[in-house]
PDB file of all heavy atoms in Angstrom:
ATOM      1  N   ALA A  27     -44.202  33.034   8.614  1.00 94.00           N
ATOM      2  CA  ALA A  27     -43.718  32.419   7.349  1.00 94.00           C
ATOM      3  C   ALA A  27     -43.588  33.514   6.266  1.00 94.00           C
ATOM      4  O   ALA A  27     -42.677  33.497   5.517  1.00 94.00           O
ATOM      5  CB  ALA A  27     -44.686  31.332   6.933  1.00 94.00           C
ATOM      6  N   ALA A  28     -44.538  34.429   6.219  1.00 95.00           N
ATOM      7  CA  ALA A  28     -44.512  35.500   5.244  1.00 95.00           C
ATOM      8  C   ALA A  28     -43.270  36.378   5.528  1.00 95.00           C
ATOM      9  O   ALA A  28     -42.596  36.820   4.551  1.00 95.00           O
ATOM     10  CB  ALA A  28     -45.731  36.296   5.309  1.00 95.00           C
ATOM     11  N   ALA A  29     -42.967  36.632   6.759  1.00 96.00           N
ATOM     12  CA  ALA A  29     -41.825  37.484   7.087  1.00 96.00           C
ATOM     13  C   ALA A  29     -40.505  36.793   6.687  1.00 96.00           C
ATOM     14  O   ALA A  29     -39.594  37.402   6.077  1.00 96.00           O
ATOM     15  CB  ALA A  29     -41.806  37.757   8.547  1.00 96.00           C
ATOM     16  N   TYR A  30     -40.408  35.454   6.926  1.00 94.00           N
ATOM     17  CA  TYR A  30     -39.223  34.757   6.486  1.00 94.00           C
ATOM     18  C   TYR A  30     -39.142  34.699   4.956  1.00 94.00           C
ATOM     19  O   TYR A  30     -38.028  34.896   4.398  1.00 94.00           O
ATOM     20  CB  TYR A  30     -39.240  33.309   6.968  1.00 94.00           C
ATOM     21  CG  TYR A  30     -38.767  33.168   8.409  1.00 94.00           C
ATOM     22  CD1 TYR A  30     -39.645  32.952   9.518  1.00 94.00           C
ATOM     23  CD2 TYR A  30     -37.426  33.293   8.776  1.00 94.00           C
ATOM     24  CE1 TYR A  30     -39.219  32.881  10.743  1.00 94.00           C
ATOM     25  CE2 TYR A  30     -36.940  33.201  10.003  1.00 94.00           C
ATOM     26  CZ  TYR A  30     -37.884  33.006  11.024  1.00 94.00           C
ATOM     27  OH  TYR A  30     -37.411  32.876  12.347  1.00 94.00           O
ATOM     28  N   HIS A  31     -40.231  34.552   4.269  1.00 96.00           N
ATOM     29  CA  HIS A  31     -40.262  34.581   2.782  1.00 96.00           C
ATOM     30  C   HIS A  31     -39.794  35.939   2.325  1.00 96.00           C
ATOM     31  O   HIS A  31     -38.969  36.058   1.404  1.00 96.00           O
ATOM     32  CB  HIS A  31     -41.601  34.253   2.263  1.00 96.00           C
ATOM     33  CG  HIS A  31     -41.651  34.232   0.769  1.00 96.00           C
ATOM     34  ND1 HIS A  31     -42.234  35.243   0.073  1.00 96.00           N
ATOM     35  CD2 HIS A  31     -41.231  33.310  -0.094  1.00 96.00           C
ATOM     36  CE1 HIS A  31     -42.090  34.914  -1.248  1.00 96.00           C
ATOM     37  NE2 HIS A  31     -41.470  33.784  -1.343  1.00 96.00           N
ATOM     38  N   ASP A  32     -40.326  37.011   2.910  1.00 96.00           N
ATOM     39  CA  ASP A  32     -39.889  38.353   2.540  1.00 96.00           C
ATOM     40  C   ASP A  32     -38.441  38.581   2.793  1.00 96.00           C
ATOM     41  O   ASP A  32     -37.812  39.376   2.064  1.00 96.00           O
ATOM     42  CB  ASP A  32     -40.733  39.357   3.286  1.00 96.00           C
ATOM     43  CG  ASP A  32     -42.211  39.360   2.889  1.00 96.00           C
ATOM     44  OD1 ASP A  32     -42.519  38.821   1.800  1.00 96.00           O
ATOM     45  OD2 ASP A  32     -43.014  39.986   3.649  1.00 96.00           O
ATOM     46  N   ALA A  33     -37.852  37.886   3.731  1.00 97.00           N
ATOM     47  CA  ALA A  33     -36.417  38.048   4.094  1.00 97.00           C
ATOM     48  C   ALA A  33     -35.533  37.167   3.213  1.00 97.00           C
ATOM     49  O   ALA A  33     -34.328  37.263   3.376  1.00 97.00           O
ATOM     50  CB  ALA A  33     -36.244  37.719   5.576  1.00 97.00           C
ATOM     51  N   GLY A  34     -36.194  36.415   2.329  1.00 96.00           N
ATOM     52  CA  GLY A  34     -35.435  35.633   1.336  1.00 96.00           C
ATOM     53  C   GLY A  34     -35.529  34.097   1.437  1.00 96.00           C
ATOM     54  O   GLY A  34     -34.941  33.415   0.661  1.00 96.00           O
ATOM     55  N   ALA A  35     -36.348  33.537   2.368  1.00 96.00           N
ATOM     56  CA  ALA A  35     -36.515  32.135   2.445  1.00 96.00           C
ATOM     57  C   ALA A  35     -37.232  31.610   1.207  1.00 96.00           C
ATOM     58  O   ALA A  35     -38.244  32.195   0.802  1.00 96.00           O
ATOM     59  CB  ALA A  35     -37.303  31.734   3.698  1.00 96.00           C
ATOM     60  N   ASP A  36     -36.704  30.553   0.636  1.00 95.00           N
ATOM     61  CA  ASP A  36     -37.327  29.930  -0.563  1.00 95.00           C
ATOM     62  C   ASP A  36     -38.496  29.071  -0.163  1.00 95.00           C
ATOM     63  O   ASP A  36     -39.441  28.889  -0.947  1.00 95.00           O
ATOM     64  CB  ASP A  36     -36.295  29.120  -1.310  1.00 95.00           C
ATOM     65  CG  ASP A  36     -35.163  29.992  -1.885  1.00 95.00           C
ATOM     66  OD1 ASP A  36     -35.479  31.104  -2.341  1.00 95.00           O
ATOM     67  OD2 ASP A  36     -34.032  29.470  -1.909  1.00 95.00           O
ATOM     68  N   VAL A  37     -38.410  28.459   1.009  1.00 96.00           N
ATOM     69  CA  VAL A  37     -39.425  27.503   1.472  1.00 96.00           C
ATOM     70  C   VAL A  37     -39.659  27.780   2.992  1.00 96.00           C
ATOM     71  O   VAL A  37     -38.735  28.178   3.663  1.00 96.00           O
ATOM     72  CB  VAL A  37     -38.897  26.046   1.360  1.00 96.00           C
ATOM     73  CG1 VAL A  37     -39.934  25.034   1.926  1.00 96.00           C
ATOM     74  CG2 VAL A  37     -38.556  25.719  -0.054  1.00 96.00           C
ATOM     75  N   THR A  38     -40.926  27.638   3.405  1.00 96.00           N
ATOM     76  CA  THR A  38     -41.192  27.847   4.782  1.00 96.00           C
ATOM     77  C   THR A  38     -41.939  26.677   5.429  1.00 96.00           C
ATOM     78  O   THR A  38     -42.477  25.820   4.650  1.00 96.00           O
ATOM     79  CB  THR A  38     -42.017  29.140   5.097  1.00 96.00           C
ATOM     80  OG1 THR A  38     -43.164  29.191   4.350  1.00 96.00           O
ATOM     81  CG2 THR A  38     -41.161  30.382   4.751  1.00 96.00           C
ATOM     82  N   PHE A  39     -41.916  26.627   6.653  1.00 96.00           N
ATOM     83  CA  PHE A  39     -42.495  25.499   7.476  1.00 96.00           C
ATOM     84  C   PHE A  39     -43.304  26.073   8.642  1.00 96.00           C
ATOM     85  O   PHE A  39     -42.743  26.829   9.423  1.00 96.00           O
ATOM     86  CB  PHE A  39     -41.394  24.574   7.961  1.00 96.00           C
ATOM     87  CG  PHE A  39     -41.821  23.592   8.981  1.00 96.00           C
ATOM     88  CD1 PHE A  39     -42.605  22.504   8.659  1.00 96.00           C
ATOM     89  CD2 PHE A  39     -41.427  23.728  10.357  1.00 96.00           C
ATOM     90  CE1 PHE A  39     -43.027  21.631   9.677  1.00 96.00           C
ATOM     91  CE2 PHE A  39     -41.808  22.841  11.307  1.00 96.00           C
ATOM     92  CZ  PHE A  39     -42.616  21.748  10.971  1.00 96.00           C
ATOM     93  N   ILE A  40     -44.583  25.802   8.673  1.00 96.00           N
ATOM     94  CA  ILE A  40     -45.395  26.237   9.755  1.00 96.00           C
ATOM     95  C   ILE A  40     -45.664  25.043  10.696  1.00 96.00           C
ATOM     96  O   ILE A  40     -46.240  24.044  10.255  1.00 96.00           O
ATOM     97  CB  ILE A  40     -46.699  26.863   9.238  1.00 96.00           C
ATOM     98  CG1 ILE A  40     -46.385  28.128   8.378  1.00 96.00           C
ATOM     99  CG2 ILE A  40     -47.665  27.149  10.398  1.00 96.00           C
ATOM    100  CD1 ILE A  40     -47.543  28.708   7.702  1.00 96.00           C
ATOM    101  N   GLU A  41     -45.222  25.198  11.895  1.00 94.00           N
ATOM    102  CA  GLU A  41     -45.272  24.075  12.871  1.00 94.00           C
ATOM    103  C   GLU A  41     -46.698  23.719  13.289  1.00 94.00           C
ATOM    104  O   GLU A  41     -47.485  24.498  13.646  1.00 94.00           O
ATOM    105  CB  GLU A  41     -44.436  24.490  14.099  1.00 94.00           C
ATOM    106  CG  GLU A  41     -44.442  23.509  15.235  1.00 94.00           C
ATOM    107  CD  GLU A  41     -43.605  22.270  14.914  1.00 94.00           C
ATOM    108  OE1 GLU A  41     -42.608  22.378  14.225  1.00 94.00           O
ATOM    109  OE2 GLU A  41     -43.975  21.182  15.424  1.00 94.00           O
ATOM    110  N   ALA A  42     -46.951  22.451  13.237  1.00 94.00           N
ATOM    111  CA  ALA A  42     -48.107  21.755  13.833  1.00 94.00           C
ATOM    112  C   ALA A  42     -49.475  22.364  13.509  1.00 94.00           C
ATOM    113  O   ALA A  42     -50.226  22.696  14.476  1.00 94.00           O
ATOM    114  CB  ALA A  42     -47.900  21.652  15.310  1.00 94.00           C
ATOM    115  N   PRO A  43     -49.886  22.472  12.280  1.00 96.00           N
ATOM    116  CA  PRO A  43     -51.286  22.834  12.012  1.00 96.00           C
ATOM    117  C   PRO A  43     -52.151  21.737  12.610  1.00 96.00           C
ATOM    118  O   PRO A  43     -51.809  20.588  12.574  1.00 96.00           O
ATOM    119  CB  PRO A  43     -51.375  22.918  10.455  1.00 96.00           C
ATOM    120  CG  PRO A  43     -50.218  22.182   9.988  1.00 96.00           C
ATOM    121  CD  PRO A  43     -49.147  22.279  11.033  1.00 96.00           C
ATOM    122  N   GLN A  44     -53.274  22.155  13.155  1.00 96.00           N
ATOM    123  CA  GLN A  44     -54.124  21.222  13.926  1.00 96.00           C
ATOM    124  C   GLN A  44     -55.421  20.872  13.228  1.00 96.00           C
ATOM    125  O   GLN A  44     -56.145  19.974  13.779  1.00 96.00           O
ATOM    126  CB  GLN A  44     -54.344  21.726  15.302  1.00 96.00           C
ATOM    127  CG  GLN A  44     -53.052  21.837  16.107  1.00 96.00           C
ATOM    128  CD  GLN A  44     -53.226  22.375  17.524  1.00 96.00           C
ATOM    129  OE1 GLN A  44     -54.324  22.227  18.106  1.00 96.00           O
ATOM    130  NE2 GLN A  44     -52.137  22.962  18.020  1.00 96.00           N
ATOM    131  N   THR A  45     -55.741  21.565  12.109  1.00 96.00           N
ATOM    132  CA  THR A  45     -56.995  21.257  11.440  1.00 96.00           C
ATOM    133  C   THR A  45     -56.746  21.072   9.956  1.00 96.00           C
ATOM    134  O   THR A  45     -55.716  21.591   9.465  1.00 96.00           O
ATOM    135  CB  THR A  45     -58.056  22.331  11.672  1.00 96.00           C
ATOM    136  OG1 THR A  45     -57.615  23.484  11.021  1.00 96.00           O
ATOM    137  CG2 THR A  45     -58.321  22.560  13.128  1.00 96.00           C
ATOM    138  N   GLN A  46     -57.650  20.380   9.280  1.00 95.00           N
ATOM    139  CA  GLN A  46     -57.504  20.295   7.801  1.00 95.00           C
ATOM    140  C   GLN A  46     -57.639  21.689   7.196  1.00 95.00           C
ATOM    141  O   GLN A  46     -56.901  21.956   6.169  1.00 95.00           O
ATOM    142  CB  GLN A  46     -58.628  19.369   7.299  1.00 95.00           C
ATOM    143  CG  GLN A  46     -58.403  17.963   7.706  1.00 95.00           C
ATOM    144  CD  GLN A  46     -59.437  16.957   7.099  1.00 95.00           C
ATOM    145  OE1 GLN A  46     -60.380  17.372   6.469  1.00 95.00           O
ATOM    146  NE2 GLN A  46     -59.233  15.687   7.381  1.00 95.00           N
ATOM    147  N   GLU A  47     -58.418  22.560   7.803  1.00 96.00           N
ATOM    148  CA  GLU A  47     -58.588  23.893   7.214  1.00 96.00           C
ATOM    149  C   GLU A  47     -57.292  24.663   7.303  1.00 96.00           C
ATOM    150  O   GLU A  47     -56.891  25.407   6.354  1.00 96.00           O
ATOM    151  CB  GLU A  47     -59.679  24.679   7.896  1.00 96.00           C
ATOM    152  CG  GLU A  47     -61.080  24.081   7.699  1.00 96.00           C
ATOM    153  CD  GLU A  47     -61.388  22.831   8.516  1.00 96.00           C
ATOM    154  OE1 GLU A  47     -60.691  22.529   9.500  1.00 96.00           O
ATOM    155  OE2 GLU A  47     -62.361  22.090   8.150  1.00 96.00           O
ATOM    156  N   GLN A  48     -56.501  24.556   8.408  1.00 96.00           N
ATOM    157  CA  GLN A  48     -55.220  25.180   8.504  1.00 96.00           C
ATOM    158  C   GLN A  48     -54.271  24.632   7.483  1.00 96.00           C
ATOM    159  O   GLN A  48     -53.506  25.453   6.861  1.00 96.00           O
ATOM    160  CB  GLN A  48     -54.689  24.982   9.954  1.00 96.00           C
ATOM    161  CG  GLN A  48     -55.408  25.768  10.972  1.00 96.00           C
ATOM    162  CD  GLN A  48     -54.942  25.389  12.389  1.00 96.00           C
ATOM    163  OE1 GLN A  48     -54.335  24.355  12.617  1.00 96.00           O
ATOM    164  NE2 GLN A  48     -55.169  26.301  13.364  1.00 96.00           N
ATOM    165  N   ILE A  49     -54.248  23.394   7.233  1.00 97.00           N
ATOM    166  CA  ILE A  49     -53.353  22.796   6.203  1.00 97.00           C
ATOM    167  C   ILE A  49     -53.694  23.293   4.870  1.00 97.00           C
ATOM    168  O   ILE A  49     -52.786  23.655   4.062  1.00 97.00           O
ATOM    169  CB  ILE A  49     -53.481  21.294   6.306  1.00 97.00           C
ATOM    170  CG1 ILE A  49     -52.885  20.736   7.583  1.00 97.00           C
ATOM    171  CG2 ILE A  49     -52.739  20.630   5.075  1.00 97.00           C
ATOM    172  CD1 ILE A  49     -53.150  19.259   7.854  1.00 97.00           C
ATOM    173  N   VAL A  50     -54.999  23.405   4.514  1.00 96.00           N
ATOM    174  CA  VAL A  50     -55.348  23.899   3.204  1.00 96.00           C
ATOM    175  C   VAL A  50     -54.924  25.368   3.080  1.00 96.00           C
ATOM    176  O   VAL A  50     -54.358  25.795   2.063  1.00 96.00           O
ATOM    177  CB  VAL A  50     -56.905  23.788   3.041  1.00 96.00           C
ATOM    178  CG1 VAL A  50     -57.381  24.594   1.828  1.00 96.00           C
ATOM    179  CG2 VAL A  50     -57.272  22.351   2.925  1.00 96.00           C
ATOM    180  N   ALA A  51     -55.074  26.195   4.107  1.00 96.00           N
ATOM    181  CA  ALA A  51     -54.696  27.614   4.071  1.00 96.00           C
ATOM    182  C   ALA A  51     -53.155  27.717   3.916  1.00 96.00           C
ATOM    183  O   ALA A  51     -52.697  28.557   3.142  1.00 96.00           O
ATOM    184  CB  ALA A  51     -55.156  28.321   5.386  1.00 96.00           C
ATOM    185  N   ILE A  52     -52.350  26.910   4.633  1.00 97.00           N
ATOM    186  CA  ILE A  52     -50.944  26.918   4.489  1.00 97.00           C
ATOM    187  C   ILE A  52     -50.516  26.634   3.080  1.00 97.00           C
ATOM    188  O   ILE A  52     -49.701  27.283   2.459  1.00 97.00           O
ATOM    189  CB  ILE A  52     -50.275  26.036   5.460  1.00 97.00           C
ATOM    190  CG1 ILE A  52     -50.516  26.585   6.910  1.00 97.00           C
ATOM    191  CG2 ILE A  52     -48.776  25.905   5.204  1.00 97.00           C
ATOM    192  CD1 ILE A  52     -50.201  25.534   7.997  1.00 97.00           C
ATOM    193  N   GLY A  53     -51.143  25.620   2.513  1.00 95.00           N
ATOM    194  CA  GLY A  53     -50.876  25.168   1.147  1.00 95.00           C
ATOM    195  C   GLY A  53     -51.149  26.235   0.090  1.00 95.00           C
ATOM    196  O   GLY A  53     -50.529  26.202  -1.000  1.00 95.00           O
TER     197      GLY A  53
END
């Protein structure tokens, strides 16, 4: 996601986080 953002993506999507902690980190 960081690489896509660095390449110019305005928004990114990380597929299938499996824990609440992962969701918090992505946010």
Side-chain angles (χ1 to χ4, degrees):
Y30 279 106
H31 181 258
D32 291 345
D36 295 323
V37 177
T38 55
F39 165 73
I40 297 174
E41 177 72 32
Q44 297 180 25
T45 67
Q46 293 182 355
E47 294 78 19
Q48 289 173 339
I49 293 170
V50 169
I52 293 166

